[in-house]
Amino acid sequence: MLRMKLGSLMTTKVLLLCLNCVIMIELMAHLMVIEVYGAQSIAMNGVGFDDRRNDVVRKMQAIKQSIAAPPSTFISPSPNFPPSLETTPSSREYHVTAYGADPTAKKDSTEALLKVFSDVSESSNGFLINGVRNLGGAQIHLDGGIYLISRPLQFPTSQVGNVLIHGGTLQASETFPKDRYLIELSTSPSQVNQEDKTSSLDQKNTPTSYNFEYITFRDLMLDCNYKGGGIGITNSLRISIDNCYIVHFTSEGIRVESGHETLIRSSYLGQHITAGNDPGERNFSGTGISLQGNDNVVNDVVIFSANTGIIVSGQANLLSGVHCYNKATGFGGTGIYLKLPGLTQTRIVNSYLDYTGIVAEDPVQLIISNNFFLGDAFISLKSIKGVANGVNIVDNIFSGSGNGIDIVHLDGKFGDVDQIQIDRNSVKGMNTKATIAKVAVQGNGSTWTADFNGILLFPNLIKHVQYTLSTSGDSFPNYALRNVSDNRVTIESSVAAPTSIYVMVDQGFGG
């Protein structure tokens, strides 16, 4: 029966084409006759027959236009159907509402969303790193809705990449597990947990294989409903979180564990939705972002409420353009906590620490530069094994309230100090602390002492001294550096004379 229908359809198409050809041949023949007749008539009757000639020309033009029309005009056009939201075999765009997800958050959409994640994972086009399947830029559209979920959204298998998830809101239900994340780039709950295992991370712990690569989260709002965290990323490469708004978390807004090259940018994170001066600020808990991996970037991000803004326990991370006003230091909060003693390798630049400061454990190769510290916010160097090496705290602005707060604190004793530069900071309403200092001493005598205890950061540590002596007397004295101890420098002259001494010292110079 099917073969007979197909044969009939083919016969109809052939007859239509033949009919078109016959019509075209006949029209061309008429055109030739008309052209000859028109020319003869014009030649016989001369210019006095303009009206007749014009009529012939009009008929010729009309026939030419009808012949010039494409053959398809002789065949009835196929009907046009409106596009469907459902995914077709040639499309890699998945609309969650087509799977039955409820964009009004009145019904649980977990199963529908998980079905989308599953379908996205089924086909691939080649591979990315280490066998990670390239899903070709598949897009999961949330269609601008709000979706209630009771379990984390996960891909059913690992080794997938090149996927975009965007354009809507996910909200945790009342039954959502408190130790999980709304979206998890992992294949088991044990891969994303709350235990901090990364305090001993070093470069050897960088994964040699990855579960996911090039997954992008964009234009999303994640409402954790005080039930858990926002996004949990485990053992993943080149993940991008862009223009996301993550709130009401109790653990972390974003957690990156054993990841590499995660980009978090242009996003907002807060446990409570507030814009500062919140009456419940003392009770803020949780962490905005936890970076427990290497080579990650946090750029142009605001953390407006949490106990800790960002915890970094991997090396070679960059924080730029970050604004932390999560919980004031006076209430026990921390803006940025560097928790990798002895292997910091972190850069914090062009950021705004708003009433909440920075803590760095045994900092090694740390740059804190071109930042703004407001409201007595300060930097604390915390001793674990007493190591501070390769630290640059320069060109920052500190603005305090005149309460006598030092811009840099030492929490514990440091015995291994080298290549430390704390200098060129603009300070108002706080006490300047530095590792490079200059003092001028005047007097009429033979001994002069320059005391640097008010400004030098480390106690009883001066590694380098430079000084100049100027006298207005008639004598030409001999002078020498006699003593350097307790952050004091003593210079002695062979004769008493009215003298000015200019002394510069450095605590972080040399090895």
Side-chain angles (χ1 to χ4, degrees):
M1 187 67 178
L2 178 61
R3 186 177 300 173
M4 292 175 63
K5 289 184 177 180
L6 290 175
S8 176
L9 180 60
M10 291 296 294
T11 301
T12 302
K13 289 185 176 180
V14 171
L15 289 175
L16 286 173
L17 288 174
C18 292
L19 178 60
N20 283 343
C21 292
V22 171
I23 293 173
M24 290 176 66
I25 293 170
E26 185 175 292
L27 287 174
M28 291 176 66
H30 282 293
L31 178 60
M32 293 174 63
V33 172
I34 291 171
E35 287 179 339
V36 173
Y37 174 76
Q40 291 175 348
S41 298
I42 293 170
M44 291 174 61
N45 298 292
V47 295
F49 297 91
D50 288 342
D51 293 339
R52 188 172 182 180
R53 180 182 60 187
N54 291 337
D55 183 58
V56 172
V57 170
R58 282 195 298 270
K59 290 181 179 180
M60 291 171 60
Q61 290 176 345
I63 294 173
K64 287 182 180 180
Q65 290 176 356
S66 66
I67 295 174
S72 59
T73 57
F74 297 103
I75 304 174
S76 299
S78 300
N80 292 324
F81 295 99
S84 173
L85 285 178
E86 295 186 6
T87 303
T88 63
S90 60
S91 172
R92 297 292 288 152
E93 295 184 0
Y94 297 78
H95 294 266
V96 299
T97 52
Y99 283 75
D102 177 16
T104 67
K106 294 179 180 179
K107 297 187 298 182
D108 191 301
S109 296
T110 306
E111 296 302 328
L113 294 172
L114 288 175
K115 181 66 169 76
V116 177
F117 276 61
S118 178
D119 284 359
V120 167
S121 306
E122 286 183 355
S123 62
S124 63
N125 182 20
F127 294 91
L128 300 175
I129 191 171
N130 296 331
V132 172
R133 291 181 292 119
N134 180 6
L135 301 186
Q139 297 186 23
I140 299 177
H141 290 264
L142 296 187
D143 298 323
I146 303 175
Y147 304 92
L148 197 65
I149 60 173
S150 54
R151 299 197 313 280
L153 299 182
Q154 296 177 300
F155 290 101
T157 178
S158 62
Q159 305 299 109
V160 298
N162 196 4
V163 180
L164 169 64
I165 304 168
H166 67 113
T169 298
L170 299 176
Q171 180 178 323
S173 71
E174 293 299 324
T175 60
F176 193 91
K178 295 183 178 181
D179 60 345
R180 302 292 295 276
Y181 297 77
L182 270 65
I183 301 177
E184 294 181 355
L185 286 187
S186 63
T187 54
S188 65
S190 61
Q191 288 186 300
V192 181
N193 54 64
Q194 305 308 314
E195 183 182 356
D196 187 352
K197 300 177 180 179
T198 59
S199 59
S200 61
L201 270 178
D202 57 35
Q203 293 174 342
K204 295 180 181 179
N205 293 116
T206 301
T208 56
S209 62
Y210 297 92
N211 293 332
F212 302 92
E213 182 186 2
Y214 190 34
I215 308 291
T216 301
F217 305 97
R218 181 183 300 156
D219 304 333
L220 296 175
M221 179 174 179
L222 303 181
D223 185 349
C224 304
N225 195 23
Y226 302 110
K227 298 297 180 182
I231 300 177
I233 300 170
T234 304
N235 200 33
S236 300
L237 176 66
R238 291 184 271 270
I239 306 302
S240 178
I241 300 173
D242 189 6
N243 192 35
C244 290
Y245 190 94
I246 303 175
V247 293
H248 300 150
F249 50 83
T250 54
S251 52
E252 295 120 335
I254 300 172
R255 179 185 178 93
V256 180
E257 185 174 344
S258 298
H260 187 63
E261 296 172 351
T262 301
L263 301 183
I264 304 171
R265 56 197 173 195
S266 303
S267 295
Y268 303 87
L269 298 99
Q271 185 178 63
H272 306 273
I273 298 180
T274 179
N277 298 317
D278 193 288
E281 183 174 346
R282 292 178 181 272
N283 300 318
F284 289 173
S285 60
T287 300
I289 299 173
S290 178
L291 297 178
Q292 301 181 17
N294 306 333
D295 305 344
N296 304 297
V297 176
V298 179
N299 184 39
D300 296 336
V301 167
V302 176
I303 302 174
F304 52 85
S305 61
N307 181 68
T308 305
I310 302 175
I311 291 181
V312 180
S313 49
Q315 70 264 28
N317 292 286
L318 171 62
L319 312 182
S320 174
V322 174
H323 181 193
C324 291
Y325 62 103
N326 46 288
K327 182 177 183 179
T329 299
F331 295 154
T334 304
I336 300 172
Y337 198 113
L338 307 177
K339 192 178 178 60
L340 191 64
L343 198 63
T344 311
Q345 295 178 334
T346 295
R347 294 148 291 161
I348 304 173
V349 297
N350 303 322
S351 295
Y352 179 10
L353 282 300
D354 193 347
Y355 281 81
T356 184
I358 297 174
V359 176
E361 296 183 350
D362 276 5
V364 173
Q365 294 186 316
L366 168 64
I367 295 176
I368 301 176
S369 179
N370 292 300
N371 303 291
F372 178 38
F373 295 80
L374 179 66
D376 292 331
F378 60 87
I379 300 168
S380 177
L381 306 183
K382 185 175 183 179
S383 175
I384 304 299
K385 296 184 178 180
V387 177
N389 193 311
V391 177
N392 289 270
I393 302 174
V394 296
D395 301 322
N396 301 286
I397 298 174
F398 292 85
S399 180
S401 54
N403 293 325
I405 304 296
D406 296 339
I407 64 170
V408 182
H409 289 193
L410 293 181
D411 184 359
K413 296 181 178 181
F414 286 83
D416 184 1
V417 177
D418 193 17
Q419 300 183 63
I420 310 295
Q421 184 179 11
I422 303 174
D423 193 23
R424 304 194 311 270
N425 296 297
S426 174
V427 181
K428 183 178 181 180
M430 301 178 71
N431 295 334
T432 299
K433 286 293 181 180
T435 57
I436 298 174
K438 301 174 183 179
V439 166
V441 181
Q442 293 86 29
N444 189 350
S446 59
T447 303
W448 299 269
T449 299
D451 190 343
F452 292 91
N453 280 293
I455 188 172
L456 289 179
L457 177 64
F458 296 97
N460 193 25
L461 178 66
I462 294 178
K463 292 188 174 186
H464 183 74
V465 178
Q466 287 181 315
Y467 68 94
T468 301
L469 184 145
S470 174
T471 180
S472 58
D474 296 332
S475 61
F476 193 87
N478 295 318
Y479 52 89
L481 178 62
R482 303 295 288 179
N483 185 53
V484 179
S485 62
D486 298 324
N487 283 344
R488 294 181 176 90
V489 175
T490 300
I491 298 170
E492 187 174 343
S493 173
S494 60
V495 296
T499 304
S500 296
I501 304 290
Y502 303 93
V503 186
M504 184 182 75
V505 296
D506 191 340
Q507 291 191 316
F509 181 87

